[in-house]
Amino acid sequence: MPRFSECWRCGNTIGVGIICNLCEVAKYCSEKCKKNDIFRHEAECIPASILKTCKTCRKSGPNLKACTGCYRAFYCDAKCQKSNWERHKIDCLDVKKRMEEITQLTLAHYDILSEKTSYCSYYYWGNVPAFDCLNLVENEGVDGSAFKVLVLGVGDLRNVALTCASLPDSYSSKVLFTLNDKESCVLARLVLLLYMLIKGDLRIEKAVTEIWYSVLLSQETYECLRTSLEELTSFTTAQNLQSKTAGLISVDEMQFKQLQDVWKTWLGLRVQGTKWIQKQREKTINSNMENVARNSGYINNVPAEHAIAVKKWIDDGVFKRTQAPMIAENPTLTGVDMAARYAPYSYSVLPELFPFSGWDYLQVKKFKSSNCLVTMYGDYIECILRKFMNILSKQQVSFQIVLCDCMDIQQHPEVNTVYDRILTSNLIDYVFLPNLLKLCSQILNHDNNYATIITETMVWARDIIPEGDILFAFNRLQVPKLAKIAFEDTKRSSFANDGGTSVMEYLDNSCEFFSYIRAMFSAYRLKKARESGSTNQKPTIPVIKEVGNEFQLHLRDGIRNENRIVFFRPAINRRRVTIVTGNERYLEWVPLQKK
């Protein structure tokens, strides 16, 4: 689902546009795009439609009320609902019973996560498309005041770079970022790239792009990297880093030493004329049949003109667009094994991550179209970095680096402010959503009408409510029908035969997703009741409009495209290069008084 100023088919920016008559949410730049989107849009249109049919009298209208027990039936009024209760009761109570089961599963799932050390690979590259977390141009206004942005679990630099590159010319105030991650290797890499962009010359964006994404580096790029690492390791205090970057980067002294340990290790690795990182990468990619099958499916499903470039990148991991010989391996793609913290550094990028997964293919293609994805993406990323460097040169942004677990962020004295934006990546796949919202609400600027917390989930169906996934038994029965729709929509038989992520585009699992959200808060209330010693151990299942209210937050209606910053549900098949799976969901939480 695109943002509200984009055509829902082609992604072009539009004004009023042509509105879908049924849901009055989707809009298009032309009748052609509207017609071409019929098959894809249906799964979004039905739940978003304001026209519902009363279960009792069968009248249709825009103001029907949903049954707050199951959200699967709609009524004109209380009279219609009451008269249909005996017929509806069995289905509704079944849903309620399942909600109670999901509540217990949710508690058990997050109890398990909290009891064990969570090992996850380093996110040196993005696993979902970058987005502008301010979106000042489109909808959030420019009032002249500085924005304070907290990014929990920041991973790589893409969201920060795109946000800064997207600042409108009319915005002259500052954006103050606090960037958090619990992994020193991740933050060391991010600070390294920031440092290079701040200190570098006009062509540094080429070297930064190569260091960001290529397993092999040219002579010029490697020398640039080595020089930067030598400078960073030569600083005796964190104040040196702050001074050398004109105050743009600041970090706690003890945490700075931890980052320096990583830089020293990278600097000391033997990478010139070697192949050990490449061999480890090859071993990681081919470590099991699942990885091999996924890569093969990816090659088959990307647009045909890109297949050769994708296969080449999978084979060699080289992200370059020049003829310069590659003389060194990239040490910044290594890190200490998370399961064995004192082991030697090794290649540390997840096998399912690609340079293309962190950027929106539609936006890249609009910028430059080429058969060679490395050329397309390389030129696009360099353009973003040049704009970012322009903002850096004006000193419109600054970066406070905080190395800690996201839930401990308030324990750090440098985090002594409230924020206008809080990004949480997909932390709710690892951290209990209500606990994360409780923390974020305490440091959200509730006096700012534009303040927003953005949460993201990728595995909600896999971990909590499997009936939301295409692999669920009942949903598998729908695959032949969905495959036909996929073919009608894309005219690509490979999508129709995929039976997995390709057909997720056309599965309406909105009820299941909001059951997952309600179960989260039901589990939170049940947990509180248990901790207080209450005798009432039956979960209280909140209605959708109530979720987040206990933290003075309101959840925007993503189904109705109320999200103002990032799409609620990204379209899949037009973004095959970006590798979205269909279960990604973005939620925007705002102060309760702002609706």
Side-chain angles (χ1 to χ4, degrees):
M1 185 179 289
R3 290 188 280 193
F4 66 91
S5 67
E6 297 176 358
C7 173
W8 283 42
R9 185 65 184 181
C10 68
N12 287 336
T13 302
I14 55 177
V16 176
I18 300 169
I19 308 296
C20 170
N21 298 330
L22 293 177
C23 67
E24 297 185 7
V25 171
K27 65 179 182 178
Y28 303 94
C29 62
S30 64
E31 288 289 350
K32 180 181 178 181
C33 274
K34 181 181 178 182
K35 181 179 179 180
N36 289 343
D37 205 41
I38 287 175
F39 296 102
R40 190 206 63 80
H41 175 52
E42 183 179 355
E44 297 169 334
C45 186
I46 293 173
S49 177
I50 59 173
L51 293 175
K52 305 294 184 183
T53 301
C54 178
K55 274 283 188 178
T56 303
C57 67
R58 310 308 298 171
K59 291 181 180 178
S60 295
N63 298 315
L64 273 65
K65 303 297 183 183
C67 168
T68 55
C70 65
Y71 285 89
R72 286 165 168 79
F74 295 85
Y75 299 99
C76 299
D77 50 35
K79 181 180 178 181
C80 277
Q81 184 172 11
K82 184 177 180 180
S83 63
N84 190 55
W85 174 241
E86 288 303 319
R87 288 189 294 271
H88 177 58
K89 179 168 61 174
I90 295 176
D91 291 340
C92 189
L93 292 179
D94 281 347
V95 171
K96 187 176 181 181
K97 181 180 178 181
R98 179 58 181 150
M99 285 289 301
E100 292 174 353
E101 293 172 353
I102 297 169
T103 296
Q104 299 295 342
L105 287 171
T106 300
L107 275 177
H109 175 72
Y110 285 98
D111 281 345
I112 291 171
L113 285 181
S114 65
E115 289 173 0
K116 67 178 182 179
T117 303
S118 179
Y119 294 122
C120 58
S121 295
Y122 300 118
Y123 282 91
Y124 288 158
W125 302 337
N127 55 351
V128 290
F131 63 90
D132 169 12
C133 72
L134 297 184
N135 200 19
L136 296 177
V137 173
E138 283 194 341
N139 54 48
E140 291 299 282
V142 179
D143 60 8
S145 59
F147 264 85
K148 295 180 180 179
V149 180
L150 170 63
V151 188
L152 298 174
V154 61
D156 73 347
L157 194 59
R158 71 193 191 287
N159 286 330
V160 174
L162 184 59
T163 297
C164 294
S166 303
L167 287 174
D169 293 337
S170 57
Y171 185 78
S172 58
S173 296
K174 289 192 173 184
V175 181
L176 312 177
F177 286 93
T178 299
L179 306 180
N180 156 262
D181 207 283
K182 72 172 186 175
E183 299 301 338
S184 56
C185 286
V186 171
L187 282 183
R189 195 167 193 263
L190 183 145
V191 172
L192 166 67
L193 297 183
L194 272 178
Y195 178 78
M196 294 178 72
L197 290 169
I198 293 169
K199 297 290 292 179
D201 58 27
L202 294 178
R203 297 185 69 250
I204 195 65
E205 72 275 6
K206 294 183 179 297
V208 168
T209 301
E210 198 173 297
I211 293 165
W212 198 342
Y213 289 115
S214 185
V215 73
L216 292 178
L217 305 177
S218 65
Q219 177 78 46
E220 182 181 1
T221 298
Y222 178 67
E223 291 301 327
C224 185
L225 170 62
R226 187 170 64 178
T227 299
S228 297
L229 288 173
E230 287 173 347
E231 290 174 3
L232 288 168
T233 54
S234 70
F235 296 152
T236 56
T237 67
Q239 185 62 42
N240 295 147
L241 173 63
Q242 189 169 358
S243 299
K244 289 291 184 180
T245 58
L248 298 190
I249 301 178
S250 56
V251 60
D252 171 81
E253 194 67 51
M254 186 176 296
Q255 295 176 15
F256 177 68
K257 296 301 182 185
Q258 291 178 264
L259 301 185
Q260 274 196 318
D261 288 342
V262 178
W263 296 325
K264 289 175 182 177
T265 303
W266 284 339
L267 188 59
L269 291 177
R270 184 171 175 269
V271 293
Q272 288 184 277
T274 63
K275 292 187 177 180
W276 65 274
I277 297 177
Q278 297 169 80
K279 288 179 179 179
Q280 288 181 357
R281 175 184 180 273
E282 183 180 356
K283 183 178 179 181
T284 299
I285 289 175
N286 298 311
S287 60
N288 57 57
M289 292 305 297
E290 181 182 351
N291 291 341
V292 174
R294 179 178 53 246
N295 290 339
S296 176
Y298 181 49
I299 293 171
N300 290 334
N301 277 335
V302 298
E305 64 268 24
H306 300 319
I308 293 176
V310 168
K311 186 178 186 307
K312 184 178 186 306
W313 186 86
I314 290 174
D315 289 342
D316 62 24
V318 176
F319 198 86
K320 72 163 187 172
R321 298 177 318 291
T322 68
Q323 298 303 314
M326 313 304 274
I327 60 95
E329 295 184 295
N330 187 350
T332 74
L333 293 180
T334 69
V336 66
D337 189 328
M338 289 189 171
R341 290 286 177 168
Y342 301 103
Y345 275 33
S346 59
Y347 181 76
S348 297
V349 179
L350 282 165
E352 61 265 28
L353 291 185
F354 292 68
F356 323 116
S357 57
W359 304 92
D360 190 333
Y361 173 69
L362 294 183
Q363 298 301 320
V364 176
K365 189 176 181 181
K366 279 195 289 186
F367 175 79
K368 180 172 185 175
S369 183
S370 168
N371 289 348
C372 180
L373 279 180
V374 170
T375 298
M376 281 176 63
Y377 276 74
D379 287 355
Y380 175 77
I381 294 166
E382 286 179 15
C383 178
I384 296 297
L385 293 181
R386 281 193 295 272
K387 292 179 180 179
F388 184 23
M389 289 172 66
N390 181 50
I391 297 297
L392 290 170
S393 68
K394 296 177 182 178
Q395 298 189 350
Q396 275 190 268
V397 292
S398 65
F399 308 96
Q400 175 71 53
I401 309 300
V402 182
L403 176 63
C404 71
D405 187 284
C406 66
M407 299 305 291
D408 297 329
I409 192 75
Q410 286 181 292
Q411 298 178 17
H412 292 262
E414 57 268 34
V415 183
N416 59 356
T417 186
V418 290
Y419 294 94
D420 305 294
R421 288 283 189 281
I422 302 179
L423 281 66
T424 67
S425 185
N426 66 318
L427 288 173
I428 63 172
D429 290 332
Y430 307 97
V431 178
F432 193 31
L433 171 61
N435 288 347
L436 185 62
L437 287 179
K438 181 180 179 180
L439 166 73
C440 291
S441 181
Q442 292 170 356
I443 51 178
L444 183 71
N445 184 4
H446 286 258
D447 293 329
N448 180 1
N449 290 332
Y450 304 135
T452 311
I453 300 166
I454 303 170
T455 60
E456 166 199 339
T457 176
M458 301 176 66
V459 296
W460 60 275
R462 184 196 72 185
D463 289 348
I464 304 294
I465 182 166
E467 50 262 53
D469 193 77
I470 195 66
L471 298 177
F472 186 65
F474 176 77
N475 294 335
R476 294 295 296 177
L477 297 176
Q478 300 185 63
V479 166
K481 172 189 172 184
L482 297 176
K484 289 181 180 179
I485 297 174
F487 180 74
E488 291 295 332
D489 183 36
T490 65
K491 300 298 187 282
R492 293 187 62 183
S493 58
S494 61
F495 285 1
N497 296 328
D498 177 84
T501 59
S502 296
V503 298
M504 278 294 294
E505 183 96 62
Y506 316 99
L507 179 69
D508 176 14
N509 55 9
S510 54
C511 285
E512 288 74 19
F513 178 73
F514 284 106
S515 291
Y516 155 78
I517 295 297
R518 295 171 69 199
M520 285 280 196
F521 286 88
S522 176
Y524 176 75
R525 294 176 180 183
L526 180 58
K527 190 172 184 178
K528 281 187 66 178
R530 289 177 178 176
E531 290 171 351
S532 66
S534 171
T535 56
N536 182 12
Q537 297 294 304
K538 195 171 184 180
T540 304
I541 302 170
V543 299
I544 289 296
K545 290 184 178 181
E546 289 180 357
V547 295
N549 287 184
E550 50 259 76
F551 310 125
Q552 296 301 302
L553 296 173
H554 164 72
L555 174 62
R556 283 174 171 161
D557 188 349
I559 293 288
R560 293 287 303 161
N561 207 29
E562 286 184 4
N563 281 16
R564 308 287 286 179
I565 299 165
V566 63
F567 35 60
F568 168 71
R569 174 184 179 179
I572 303 170
N573 289 335
R574 289 175 293 129
R575 290 184 170 87
R576 295 308 299 181
V577 174
T578 308
I579 328 178
V580 287
T581 67
N583 276 327
E584 296 89 350
R585 297 292 184 274
Y586 295 86
L587 302 176
E588 295 185 6
W589 309 82
V590 295
L592 189 58
Q593 67 272 18
K594 180 190 175 186
K595 297 185 180 180

